[in-house]
Amino acid sequence: MTVTAKTGTGTGATSTPGTAAVPPPGHPDNVTSGQAERLRAPLGHRRLLTRRDRLTLGLMAGVPTILHVLLVWLTALASIALAFTTWDGIGFDAIKWVGLQNFRELFTSNPQFWPAVEHNVTWFVVLILIPTPLGLFLAVQLDKNIRFSKVYQTAFFLPVVLSMAVIGFVWQLVYNPDTGLINSLIGANKPGHYIDWIGDPDLNLWSVLIAASWRHTGYMMILYLAGLKGVDPALREASSLDGANEWQTFKNVIFPTLRPTNTVVLVVTIIEALRAFDLVFVFNKGAEGTELLSILVTNNIIGESSRIGYGSAIAVVLLVISLAVIIPYLIATFRKERRA
Amino acid sequence: MPAASRRTVLRGIGGAAVLGTGIPLLSACGGSGTAADPKTVSLGSNASDAVPKKAFAEIYAAFTKQSGITVDVNTKDHNTFQEQINSYLQGTPDDVFNWFAGYRMQFFAAKGLASPVDDVWQKIGGNFPDAMKALSKGADGKYYFVPISTSIWGVFYRKSVFQQHGYEVPTTWDQLVALCKQMKKDGLVPLAFGDKDAWPALGTFDQINFRTNGYDFHVELMAGKASWTDAKVRKTFDNWAEILPYHQEGAVGRTWQDAAQTLISKKAGMYLFGSFVAQQFTNKADLDDLDFFAFPEIDSAYGQDTVEAPTDGFMLSKAPKNKAGALKLLEFLGSPEAEQIYLKSDPSLVAASNKADTSSYTALQKKAYATIAGAKHLTQFMDRDSRPDFTSTVMQPALQKFVRDPKGVDSLLASIERQKKTIFASA
């Protein structure tokens, strides 16, 4: 160790291969040539890296790999395994194998499960139908370099900077049925004509979705803006020379070139819909009407006497749904890459 | 939240890792092993609200003065403390920690996550009535808990509002219903109600159920023995449905603090809640105007013999670093002096000890004390008397559903019973 570490004239990459193992004559830390001879790689094999470099690289690659395997793969596999057990989270001997019972119970007798699945789907549909086109519209307008374009951009993007939890707090001030902005303005906080934006299951999901869309619009706008900046100006010129109006240009020339952006948008929106959690959790903890799979997982796993097996079963359902979305996407992506 | 020390941050990360992974062993990485200091006892506190936090700090200061032992308090947000208790107790918990009496205490005692404190009780036993002693024992008959304070559930109202309209305190169900009708006519919200946090409705259920069916049935139901499809439970919900129209509209979207505001602003006539509602009465004149009565009788066979009085206190963790010091602290916490220091700062609760000096009590505290002392049975609260996993994942959403739509009660009860069976079977 001490020898090889000192022999190189510089770092592993800059030192001269082959000669590096032999210390320059008159080197203060010189060692006997016999030692150096023994340490030299056999048969002129070119040594690009010293042992220390390899150790450093090994640690740099190894530690994250171990952490990743431990914290991502092991835990994912552990929760799949735990989905077939009951466990209160105290001591490993309390884990009991129950087979498919958690799933049976989930599908048949949990009154919150199917609404939660439905709400996750609704979340996706709403995000793709309202804020996405809106974001695209804003991006197209801003792309025209109108006056104060930077101001508008900042204003629309501002919500994206905030965390969903903060957005939840902000919108609660708007929706609070007694003292909130809306009810105070329209006088709907009196007995008789009372609108419960947070508690009424016919309203609360939509209240939350408006808040989520408020943020998602800015996110979509930025993605599309980036896509639009990549459109070759020559295309626009060509289409205007061909006499296409603005809508025709957008429909037939610009939008088709945004295809890669659309894929990203789709993936991002699916992810947003599946991981929806923080906004609802601070809003009303997933009460009636706003149940989500992620909230059910949390409610069952976090707590003083947890139902870890049952919660894991819900997490597995979420995982299966995610895989059903991710796998086709990955297949399509890889196929494209192979063709390229 | 106070500025977190490095240790609490590490512990938090350890806790988060456990929650995220479900592997309790990881928490071993979280705790830094500080050597036991005989002059320090660490204490995990859930007293994150301003009033109780200050009150406890004064108790610990008095203890330090008396014994020379410093109490190193790690305060965590009240709800977070509860959510993380599982991993907290399995990791490296503080020597002493805040907790609740009842099933919740017995659960962790039975799991071996707390140490028995029989030695302490030999010294403090004389300070407590029998009902409190029973509340402090685990299922194995050993003491695991030192109670400090009790709140009481009842119907709170403002004396001035009752005077102004000439209302009388109802003692029977019919009188209560009549009073609700009258209040509605007078333009008041008869019963303030906020169930956004989902637990307040559990308290309403408790009151109506033990008044309708008696203490014994209530206990059986909470223990998972009685059936939720029993006609008796149906009767409880029928009674509830009768007064539900007099509750404040839109309860599921309102926090209990906001509901309390309607009582403070005299828009609501009554509020069925715990005595800690008084913490919301920041104005002294308003607080003096606050009064309560026990929930009215529904069935004369049971009268008003049961009172819901959730009790808070302390437990000793499984392997305290400074056991001798921790036991001394628990002994002090079980003394009347400690209780008095606490109650001076937080007049919304009453002492668990019957030796504590009640002369400094407010009228409200005196009444609460008398009501508890006169009760034949004390209950804790649904989520303290039953399995918390059952109450939080099944009962809380179920009762929110009932409060919003009382018509579908039969299918709701069938669903509760089905879920109850699987949860209680897994024990």
Side-chain angles (χ1 to χ4, degrees):
Chain A
M1 178 72 205
T2 51
V3 178
T4 39
K6 285 171 187 159
T7 49
T9 49
T11 61
T14 53
S15 64
T16 326
T19 58
V22 185
H27 193 276
D29 289 339
N30 214 340
V31 285
T32 62
S33 56
Q35 263 178 307
E37 214 57 46
R38 258 185 286 122
L39 285 161
R40 193 196 296 243
L43 295 171
H45 179 80
R46 294 191 137 206
R47 274 184 68 179
L48 291 163
L49 299 172
T50 63
R51 207 191 289 179
R52 181 190 228 160
D53 292 335
R54 263 183 279 175
L55 191 72
T56 314
L57 277 180
L59 282 176
M60 279 168 67
V63 171
T65 309
I66 290 170
L67 281 177
H68 179 80
V69 168
L70 264 179
L71 297 176
V72 178
W73 281 99
L74 206 71
T75 48
L77 293 175
S79 51
I80 292 173
L82 283 172
F84 300 95
T85 65
T86 65
W87 187 31
D88 57 15
I90 299 174
F92 287 117
D93 45 347
I95 304 178
K96 263 183 258 155
W97 187 262
V98 291
L100 286 172
Q101 199 207 307
N102 286 333
F103 292 96
R104 222 175 292 138
E105 202 185 315
L106 194 57
F107 294 141
T108 57
S109 67
N110 188 329
Q112 293 171 291
F113 177 70
W114 290 113
V117 174
E118 194 189 311
H119 297 152
N120 271 101
V121 174
T122 313
W123 199 282
F124 169 72
V125 172
V126 168
L127 285 194
I128 209 81
L129 286 184
I130 297 164
T132 307
L134 207 60
L136 176 60
F137 176 77
L138 292 176
V140 170
Q141 301 312 311
L142 290 175
D143 194 39
K144 289 178 191 156
N145 287 325
I146 46 174
R147 243 207 293 183
F148 307 124
S149 154
K150 284 277 178 294
V151 176
Y152 294 129
Q153 243 179 67
T154 314
F156 292 125
F157 191 65
L158 214 54
V160 188
V161 180
L162 300 176
S163 106
M164 274 293 201
V166 174
I167 292 176
F169 287 121
V170 171
W171 280 84
Q172 273 194 72
L173 301 177
V174 176
Y175 284 128
N176 186 309
D178 294 317
T179 55
L181 179 72
I182 302 178
N183 277 8
S184 302
L185 281 181
I186 63 174
N189 52 3
K190 295 179 193 76
H193 37 93
Y194 190 85
I195 304 177
D196 187 2
W197 299 102
I198 297 175
D200 188 336
D202 299 328
L203 292 174
N204 54 15
L205 183 65
W206 305 107
S207 313
V208 177
L209 279 170
I210 287 173
S213 301
W214 177 67
R215 176 184 192 259
H216 202 68
T217 304
Y219 196 1
M220 294 297 103
M221 179 197 75
I222 284 292
L223 285 181
Y224 276 119
L225 210 49
L228 287 171
K229 298 285 180 213
V231 174
D232 191 347
L235 284 174
R236 288 175 207 268
E237 214 174 308
S239 67
S240 67
L241 282 178
D242 284 346
N245 65 23
E246 205 172 329
W247 170 244
Q248 283 169 327
T249 310
F250 175 75
K251 202 181 94 183
N252 299 320
V253 179
I254 310 286
F255 193 71
T257 60
L258 285 176
R259 237 191 101 147
T261 312
N262 281 330
T263 318
V264 173
V265 161
L266 186 70
V267 170
V268 163
T269 308
I270 290 169
I271 292 171
E272 286 284 319
L274 287 174
R275 74 168 182 191
F277 170 77
D278 21 17
L279 181 58
V280 170
F281 197 75
V282 298
F283 196 72
N284 64 3
K285 295 214 168 60
E288 253 227 305
T290 53
E291 296 98 336
L292 290 170
L293 286 172
S294 52
I295 296 224
L296 293 190
V297 174
T298 315
N299 284 349
N300 279 286
I301 287 189
I302 294 182
E304 20 175 328
S305 60
S306 341
R307 307 175 68 191
I308 291 184
Y310 193 62
S312 301
I314 306 172
V316 167
V317 172
L318 190 56
L319 180 72
V320 169
I321 296 175
S322 316
L323 287 180
V325 178
I326 291 165
I327 287 176
Y329 169 71
L330 285 182
I331 290 175
T333 315
F334 282 135
R335 197 175 289 156
K336 214 180 293 160
E337 266 173 23
R338 219 173 294 139
R339 237 182 280 139
Chain B
M1 286 269 286
S5 72
R6 189 178 146 271
R7 202 160 112 228
T8 44
V9 168
L10 278 177
R11 191 177 292 126
I13 294 168
V18 172
L19 293 173
T21 61
I23 300 176
L25 285 182
L26 273 180
S27 65
C29 324
S32 54
T34 43
D37 173 2
K39 286 279 153 218
T40 313
V41 173
S42 65
L43 186 140
S45 171
N46 65 355
S48 54
D49 292 345
V51 172
K53 191 175 175 183
K54 184 166 166 285
F56 279 121
E58 279 164 21
I59 296 181
Y60 306 141
F63 172 69
T64 307
K65 212 170 172 188
Q66 186 214 52
S67 65
I69 299 173
T70 326
V71 182
D72 175 17
V73 186
N74 298 316
T75 307
K76 227 184 259 177
D77 168 69
H78 196 276
N79 290 325
T80 313
F81 188 87
Q82 233 152 291
E83 277 159 11
Q84 297 179 346
I85 186 79
N86 231 336
S87 46
Y88 169 69
L89 290 181
Q90 290 183 81
T92 47
D94 300 296
D95 298 346
V96 177
F97 60 97
N98 277 104
W99 201 236
F100 314 112
Y103 181 94
R104 283 175 151 172
M105 173 270 292
Q106 295 177 344
F107 177 81
F108 292 113
K111 290 278 177 187
L113 292 175
S115 309
V117 290
D118 288 351
D119 297 352
V120 173
W121 272 90
Q122 279 186 345
K123 291 175 191 143
I124 63 169
N127 299 339
F128 294 95
D130 286 344
M132 276 301 159
K133 284 181 188 162
L135 273 179
S136 305
K137 282 181 193 163
D140 58 1
K142 286 184 188 153
Y143 285 103
Y144 284 95
F145 185 78
V146 175
I148 182 128
S149 64
T150 299
S151 56
I152 185 170
W153 277 67
V155 183
F156 287 79
Y157 65 95
R158 296 195 59 153
K159 284 180 271 191
S160 60
V161 172
F162 269 48
Q163 267 161 18
Q164 185 197 334
H165 294 279
Y167 300 141
E168 301 237 333
V169 166
T171 53
T172 65
W173 180 254
D174 292 338
Q175 287 173 6
L176 177 71
V177 175
L179 180 58
C180 285
K181 276 185 190 150
Q182 187 57 45
M183 282 183 172
K184 202 165 192 177
K185 226 177 274 169
D186 296 339
L188 289 167
V189 173
L191 286 156
F193 193 27
D195 196 35
K196 191 173 170 207
D197 298 313
W199 54 262
L202 304 179
T204 312
F205 173 85
D206 287 348
Q207 301 289 328
I208 301 178
N209 191 43
F210 56 61
R211 289 279 182 269
T212 307
N213 299 311
Y215 174 77
D216 293 332
F217 181 79
H218 184 70
V219 170
E220 268 179 51
L221 190 66
M222 291 300 110
K225 287 175 194 146
S227 166
W228 284 84
T229 49
D230 193 308
K232 286 180 166 178
V233 181
R234 176 67 212 250
K235 185 116 189 289
T236 299
F237 279 94
D238 287 346
N239 285 334
W240 194 352
E242 192 182 342
I243 56 165
L244 203 52
Y246 304 110
H247 281 71
Q248 195 171 4
E249 233 180 312
V252 181
R254 185 182 299 109
T255 61
W256 71 264
Q257 289 93 338
D258 282 346
Q261 292 307 315
T262 35
L263 187 68
I264 294 170
S265 61
K266 299 188 179 184
K267 282 182 192 140
M270 298 177 278
Y271 188 17
L272 168 53
F273 207 69
S275 58
F276 46 96
V277 70
Q279 292 171 2
Q280 294 292 312
F281 284 67
T282 43
N283 185 334
K284 176 87 172 52
D286 290 341
L287 186 60
D288 290 340
D289 194 31
L290 183 69
D291 202 353
F292 80 98
F293 56 87
F295 196 79
E297 167 188 311
I298 295 179
D299 186 328
S300 58
Y302 312 114
Q304 293 176 307
D305 66 355
T306 307
V307 168
E308 186 135 275
T311 301
D312 293 354
F314 297 88
M315 291 177 80
L316 183 61
S317 62
K318 62 177 192 298
K321 286 192 193 93
N322 180 2
K323 191 165 181 182
L327 290 175
K328 258 186 217 155
L329 173 62
L330 285 171
E331 196 185 318
F332 183 77
L333 291 167
S335 69
E337 300 107 273
E339 306 231 2
Q340 262 149 253
I341 297 170
Y342 184 84
L343 295 166
K344 217 181 277 165
S345 302
D346 185 359
S348 68
L349 305 177
V350 293
S353 163
N354 53 2
K355 286 277 170 61
D357 178 20
T358 55
S359 59
S360 65
Y361 273 9
T362 62
L364 198 69
Q365 280 172 305
K366 280 189 180 130
K367 196 166 187 178
Y369 185 78
T371 312
I372 291 171
K376 211 163 137 198
H377 308 287
L378 292 183
T379 55
Q380 290 299 290
F381 193 70
M382 191 194 283
D383 65 3
R384 302 182 181 204
D385 282 333
S386 184
R387 291 179 60 109
D389 49 359
F390 168 67
T391 54
S392 65
T393 63
V394 179
M395 289 312 296
Q396 290 189 353
L399 292 187
Q400 278 191 334
K401 193 170 189 146
F402 171 78
V403 164
R404 210 193 40 76
D405 173 28
K407 285 190 196 74
V409 70
D410 280 320
S411 66
L412 189 70
L413 290 178
S415 164
I416 293 174
E417 178 64 16
R418 237 185 355 254
Q419 296 179 76
K420 179 209 88 180
K421 274 188 185 141
T422 48
I423 290 181
F424 278 87
S426 70

